Amino acid sequence: MTALHPVDDHARRREGWERAAPIVIGENSWLGASVTVGAGVTIGRNVVVGAGSVVLHDIPDHVVAAGTPARVIRTTPAEDP
């Protein structure tokens, strides 16, 4: 979900204005079934996002996150060099 729509500017919304913000998913991350990621969100490296979660804020590296809205449940070990 990368589209952002004007909320307060009714005229611009009627005219169909919208903008996009990228989603970044880090290396070796896994998103469970039916995860929704909001516009402009960055998901870190080695992250697991639980099924059905709604990710509206950035998620740091090396964590498990889940829920609506998604929140960090626990950390995971950093990978060996």
Side-chain angles (χ1 to χ4, degrees):
M1 304 277 187
T2 63
L4 295 168
H5 303 278
V7 174
D8 295 324
D9 189 335
H10 304 295
R12 291 190 81 193
R13 193 170 56 246
R14 262 192 301 279
E15 293 169 4
W17 284 93
E18 69 179 21
R19 64 184 179 90
I23 292 170
V24 178
I25 299 175
E27 181 180 326
N28 198 36
S29 290
W30 178 77
L31 278 59
S34 298
V35 168
T36 300
V37 180
V41 170
T42 296
I43 295 173
R45 297 182 59 207
N46 298 305
V47 170
V48 175
V49 180
S53 296
V54 177
V55 184
L56 300 176
H57 302 285
D58 292 351
I59 303 290
D61 296 343
H62 308 290
V63 298
V64 176
T68 303
R71 64 178 183 82
V72 174
I73 295 173
R74 66 179 181 94
T75 59
T76 60
E79 68 267 43
D80 293 329

